[in-house]
Amino acid sequence: MLHRSLTRARHVPAALYGLVLLLLATLGLAAPAQAQLQLRIGGGAFQPMPIAVTDFSGDPNLGGLVSSVVTNDLRRSGYFLPLEKGRFPESPNFDAAPGFEKWRAAGVQGLVTGRVSRDGSGRLKVEFRLWDVTSGQQITGQQYGTDAANARRAGHLISDSVYTKITGLGPWFDSRIAFVDESGPKENRRKRLMVMDQDGANVRALTTGENAIVAPRYSPATQDIAFMAQATGHQPRVQVINLETGSRTAMGNFDSMSASPRFSPDGRRLVMSVQQGGNADIVTMDIASKAQHSITNGNAIDTSPTYSPDGSQIVFESDRGGSQQVYVMGADGSNPHRISFGEGSASQPAWSPRGDLIAFTRQRKGGFAICVMKPDGSGERVLTEGFHNEGPTFAPNGQYVLFFRDPGGQGGGKLYMVDITGKVEAPVPTPSYASDPTWSPLLSGK
């Protein structure tokens, strides 16, 4: 069998080491088919694919947990319509081919079967197969060896395998979301930095709420999150927290406010906005040496900088033209040029990890829209629009945009995700009110 590690130290805390993938190629069943089961995303008549995820056999508790994680992941993607358990025509044997005629009669196109077992040491072996019901062929099969504590994560990895095989898109379920948790009365909210799995599970607080937290951003390459923190009576300052140790480091020795930090693709630099009198400039900083360099310098408010995936460019927002708009420049500050046009203002740009799109917030006529456009400013599209939508951030595969929506009043914000076609929108569960989300890179580093 082929053995290959699914973890990479720079992405994954020590507690998650030891998850191993093996391809199911020697169990004597049908060989994997060649791209039989496909779902085309986009177009005017898109319909989610009917799929069934059977109860995984073996360990009755963990088997049900893993299969439910896979079912819920695929449903939340918006691209699959899992069959309800009450309509399952059979409980297939994992070691045998399922009854394809029965599943075809139930309207299913894809079928996922699986098994969760333990070895003598208590470690889990999680196996699954993806079947093309129409052709009666196995599309793929994999096996994961891990500790029992990683059962949910094994489910996310199975979801990613099924999703990528059928859609041709990159994986994203094996990831996390950091956000600002908001609790208490609206006039005196406690704002804590929290992190959770992308489906809302395994929530934990990273800060206690003694400082207000704003605009967190994951590093693409290390176990760090940068954010702006403000203690009562002090200037807001950029800090970095390490997820493995919990250590926090203030970045820079500025006399005025620093805000909107973003990491370079290699995780070695930060780019941020630093207040200069009544203006704000974009500053880069080497994290190791703390050396800093201003790359904009003018009579404008330049903020919300974000690197392109290859690190060669920076997108940012500026009011240098009279209203807040989106600009792109070289990573050294060269050739700044405006790319957002049209009605209203444009702010909070975020570059897709695929490099093909920039998401941003457009404000016009009292409404806030989450939009995307190409890096040259062409092809602008509205993904979702409402009273108050802000803070777009991309999923690791660039197919979904996470944001927060605040309906106003005495309530607070909630997290939502929308796909880049605008056809799929879904809430993301959080313990309380939430804002300022940031999506992690894949934990597996794929």
Side-chain angles (χ1 to χ4, degrees), residues 14-30:
L16 294 181
Y17 292 163
L19 196 61
V20 176
L21 164 70
L22 305 96
L23 299 183
L24 294 181
T26 61
L27 295 186
L29 297 183

Side-chain angles (χ1 to χ4, degrees), residues 186-377:
K186 189 134 189 172
E187 298 76 19
N188 188 28
R189 285 274 160 85
R190 181 174 70 159
K191 295 188 175 184
R192 295 182 296 169
L193 180 61
M194 286 192 169
V195 65
M196 64 184 183
D197 295 350
Q198 53 77 26
D199 60 351
N202 296 323
V203 183
R204 64 186 177 105
L206 300 178
T207 63
T208 60
E210 77 280 9
N211 297 336
I213 303 298
V214 181
R217 279 299 179 270
Y218 259 100
S219 168
T222 65
Q223 279 293 306
D224 295 310
I225 295 176
F227 56 92
M228 186 185 83
Q230 183 173 18
T232 303
H234 293 80
Q235 286 281 6
R237 298 290 296 275
V238 168
Q239 297 186 16
V240 171
I241 188 169
N242 183 270
L243 294 177
E244 292 181 315
T245 66
S247 63
R248 289 168 62 170
T249 305
M251 304 304 297
N253 185 23
F254 304 108
D255 294 329
S256 55
M257 181 178 72
S258 56
S260 302
R262 305 290 189 269
F263 287 92
S264 62
D266 61 8
R268 297 178 180 176
R269 289 165 291 154
L270 279 174
V271 62
M272 66 187 82
S273 177
V274 177
Q275 185 176 342
Q276 309 283 3
N279 302 319
D281 291 326
I282 306 298
V283 174
T284 61
M285 176 180 292
D286 181 271
I287 293 176
S289 68
K290 303 298 188 293
Q292 58 197 49
H293 176 64
S294 294
I295 56 173
T296 69
N297 186 9
N299 297 320
I301 297 176
D302 298 336
T303 188
S304 298
T306 301
Y307 281 97
S308 61
D310 64 3
S312 67
Q313 299 179 85
I314 291 174
V315 63
F316 65 104
E317 64 173 273
S318 176
D319 66 354
R320 63 184 60 191
S323 65
Q324 213 69 10
Q325 299 294 338
V326 176
Y327 291 74
V328 168
M329 62 182 169
D332 59 356
S334 60
N335 188 32
H337 55 283
R338 179 175 167 179
I339 62 169
S340 66
F341 296 92
E343 184 181 12
S345 63
S347 60
Q348 302 175 320
W351 216 308
S352 167
R354 296 196 307 221
D356 57 337
L357 293 172
I358 292 171
F360 63 99
T361 300
R362 178 171 290 287
Q363 184 178 1
R364 57 188 175 193
K365 295 181 179 178
F368 293 76
I370 302 297
C371 303
V372 291
M373 61 182 166
K374 295 178 182 179
D376 63 2

Side-chain angles (χ1 to χ4, degrees), residues 21 74 128 130 140-142 144 155-167 171 173 446:
L21 164 70
L74 296 179
F128 88 96
L130 171 62
T140 189
Q142 294 175 351
Y144 304 89
H156 292 317
L157 289 167
I158 292 171
S159 302
D160 274 332
S161 183
V162 172
Y163 177 92
T164 57
K165 197 69 176 179
I166 294 177
T167 67
F173 296 113
K446 290 172 68 175

